[in-house]
Amino acid sequence: MIESRGDRFHVNGAGDCDMKISREQMAENRLRILDAASRLFREKGFEAVTVAEVMNAAGLTHGGFYGHFKSKDDLVAQALTHTLEASVDSGLDLGAYIDRYLSPRHRDNPGGGCLTAGLVAETRHQAPQIRAAMTQGCRAQIDRISRAFPGQTDEEKRRAAIGSWAAMVGAVILARAIEDPELSDEVLKQTRAWIDARTMQASE
């Protein structure tokens, strides 16, 4: 027999049904918090975002935060890991990826853009667990780009990947900081041209 209890259901003789629903909801809520936190951190930076703001953006009450995370530092570290893992969880069309990355659309949408470009400069001031999450994310991204770059050896591919990735991240950081729209666009465009030249050399 099934009895309704508010917005949950209990099966007589099978009390663990409540637990299963609760665990599923907890997992869903945790993902909502991580997604909201990641977006807000990229938009505003770590220090400007409060736990209450994150929970509100996730559509949850502030009191539920500590059921998921030990502290704000724990939230930051897990949000970084969650987002960075998702960004390297698929194959890579290198040309299309660079085009999207070095585009005005990406520059103008920090909340939905690359977490590294949005937060790497702030990360050096954060707790070790946050720096560790960023480090692991950068390592995975470099490995992913290395596999897609042309080159005669793995060493050449990795060198090209690190140089290009650093140029791309730096270009977006600069383009967002520059007030002059023409110069901002030029930084993106010329960084793309520089990477193209390097890629052509590696292909020869």
Side-chain angles (χ1 to χ4, degrees):
M1 176 179 179
I2 300 177
E3 299 173 352
S4 174
R5 295 184 180 176
D7 58 352
R8 291 167 40 165
F9 293 91
H10 176 74
V11 180
N12 286 351
D16 60 348
C17 183
D18 275 352
M19 184 177 294
K20 182 179 178 182
I21 294 173
S22 176
R23 285 176 178 172
E24 290 174 351
Q25 188 63 57
M26 284 286 286
E28 180 182 329
N29 288 348
R30 182 177 178 277
L31 288 177
R32 288 166 61 187
I33 295 168
L34 291 172
D35 287 338
S38 177
R39 175 178 56 79
L40 288 169
F41 291 146
R42 281 177 282 177
E43 287 177 353
K44 301 181 178 183
F46 295 128
E47 302 303 326
V49 177
T50 65
V51 167
E53 186 177 3
V54 170
M55 296 301 285
N56 184 62
L60 301 167
T61 61
H62 188 182
F65 174 80
Y66 291 101
H68 297 276
F69 307 98
K70 298 176 182 177
S71 63
K72 183 180 175 182
D73 281 351
D74 184 32
L75 168 64
V76 172
Q78 293 199 43
L80 263 60
T81 298
H82 169 69
T83 304
L84 290 168
E85 284 180 348
S87 71
V88 297
D89 194 30
S90 60
L92 181 65
D93 180 332
L94 185 62
Y97 173 68
I98 297 173
D99 282 341
R100 290 193 303 271
Y101 200 99
L102 294 173
S103 68
R105 181 177 181 180
H106 181 213
R107 175 197 60 199
D108 298 339
N109 181 32
C114 172
L115 185 146
T116 307
L119 294 170
V120 71
E122 289 189 51
T123 301
R124 69 187 185 92
H125 300 295
Q126 303 302 312
Q129 69 196 93
I130 297 171
R131 296 184 66 185
M134 181 64 80
T135 299
Q136 182 56 34
C138 288
R139 179 180 290 113
Q141 188 70 306
I142 289 169
D143 290 344
R144 178 190 185 216
I145 296 172
S146 295
R147 291 191 293 270
F149 252 95
Q152 298 298 318
T153 66
D154 289 344
E155 182 181 3
E156 289 180 358
K157 292 180 179 182
R158 187 169 182 83
R159 184 185 304 121
I162 291 174
S164 298
W165 173 237
M168 290 162 63
V169 171
V172 171
I173 292 172
L174 287 173
R176 286 174 177 167
I178 292 171
E179 185 180 23
D180 181 350
E182 290 186 7
L183 179 57
S184 180
D185 287 344
E186 185 181 12
V187 167
L188 298 176
K189 181 179 179 181
Q190 293 304 325
T191 301
R192 181 65 168 104
W194 182 85
I195 293 173
D196 283 346
R198 297 283 298 180
T199 304
M200 288 182 64
Q201 289 176 3
S203 301
E204 294 175 352

